[in-house]
Amino acid sequence: MTMRITNHKSLLVLLFTLASWITFTVFQNSTKLWTVLKLPISLHHGNFIMKSCPAAPLDPAVSPAETELRIKGIKEKLDQLIPPRPFTHVSSTTSATPSKATLLSPQDTYCRGDQLDVLLEVRDHLGRRKEYGGDFLRARMSSPALKAGASGKVTDFNNGTYLVSFTLFWEGRVSLSLLLILPSEGVSALWRARNQGYDRVIFTGQFANGTSHVNTDCALVLNSSAELCEYLDSRDQEAFYCVKPPHIPCAAPTHMHSKNKHVSYLSKQERSLFERSNVGIEMMEKFDAITVSKCNKKTAPMKKKCKFGMASTIPSGHVWKDTWNPVSCSLAPIEMKECLRGKFIHLMGDSTIRQWIEYFKSSIKTLKSVDLHESGKFQKQFAVDLDKNIKIQWQKHSYYPLVVSLTYSVKEIEYIARVIDRTGGGKSTIIVISLGQHFRPFPINVFLRRALSIHDAVQRLLLRSPDTVVIIKAENIREMHSDVERFSDFHGYIQYLAIKDIFQDLNVSIIDAWDITIAYGTNNVHPSQSVVRNQINILLNFIC
């Protein structure tokens, strides 16, 4: 009898252990797939709504199959938010001229701090009301004499009407603007065309052959019957290919450059939507400037100092007297050199973050460049201040996609995710990441794969060194009319939404360069020194 009871108890313990193991395994797998199945993206042009997202799993290991699922999930959500809008004639697309903007609740006097709302009803070129939304709009208010500006918030009701809201942040004469960057039909065409091909930009690789060099074709995807060299990151499944030069090993690439290829995935009719005269058209041209007064309102309560991890708003702030003022917090003046004492600043990404190290070097006279014996404009930059123990480094995001006509070395380049993996981290380590501009000419999955690999590397870093400060600098707006199919701000805006969504489950902060550059009105891929200065001031407030 005693033996039976003992055996029965042992069986119960075994069954309980087995059930617990199965429950844990199912929960762990479901946690990994959650962001794929429930990705919380809401796409309103000019209005991005962040929603709650489950915490990142404790085990950051992600298989290639899971990565493919994550990319597919995000892409499917974006496809739903950018539905096809075929059109038979340009006359049926959105037009600024017959569209009607109406000021809601007009006032004789406008007060600082008030919200001003405009109802927009869009029409096509024949004056017919549109029955769907999706137009790419940009709202901005400005006072050039005060060096003041801010973005507006656009709410798309998906029925041809929009609510455009402006917060009156300052006193004085204020001009209102609402640009039709692209009609919804153009947005749909660009989205379809972007995801059709990899060959809008072609790469030429230079391979060493003794004392001479041989050039060959390279690309993210190569449709060639020739023997190929595959450069594959097996963990993150990022690949790049070159046609193998005869009698030269695949391990011998030294340099690369790229150029635009004369190829388009748009029809002739679709391309007409992106002619200069049809991009960035003012929809509030008849609106006069308004005067904003103080109105004897109570002084606004003092805002807390901006700190790492604070939530952002829409709009996230405004420019006044050429200085950025966040909505939710206050930027304190920070003595740069003292703030950076003992810190190692890693700047990783494109040339818009390279502007930061150039600004640091011009602002801190004791910061000296160190020759790392690399060559070319895109070489890694490293600067130190031995007295204050300040170290600042910039390196590009990878050798692809790097869209530049200048030849650059590929000998020392590695993926950002790999750089982060070999970074020890710690409270004195600051990592700032920026990517986007060079990804615009390629299908969105290229950007998503890179963003996810960096996300996973940051997650691993924060597990081993949770006090490391990681900041994402969002990409900024750029020239409105240059090569729209490849570089439209619509492509950048989609990436801006995706990067905010992908990183929302990690303890990182985002510097909203998108909103800042709209407020400044800097339609330039490389913003002015004023913009860079204010972005860096946000960084200093985050870390000091």
Side-chain angles (χ1 to χ4, degrees), residues 137-177:
L137 306 172
R138 180 174 299 163
R140 180 174 181 260
M141 53 185 284
S142 62
S143 297
L146 298 173
K147 294 185 178 180
S151 67
K153 179 180 177 180
V154 180
T155 303
D156 185 351
F157 295 115
N158 296 307
N159 61 1
T161 61
Y162 300 82
L163 181 67
V164 184
S165 302
F166 297 95
T167 302
L168 304 179
F169 289 111
W170 62 86
E171 302 165 42
R173 294 286 286 173
V174 176
S175 298
L176 305 177
S177 170

Side-chain angles (χ1 to χ4, degrees), residues 94-119:
T94 306
S95 172
T97 304
S99 296
K100 184 180 180 182
T102 305
L103 185 60
L104 301 180
S105 303
Q107 306 290 324
D108 293 331
T109 302
Y110 293 94
C111 300
R112 189 183 66 189
D114 286 351
Q115 179 172 299
L116 184 150
D117 292 323
V118 175
L119 181 68

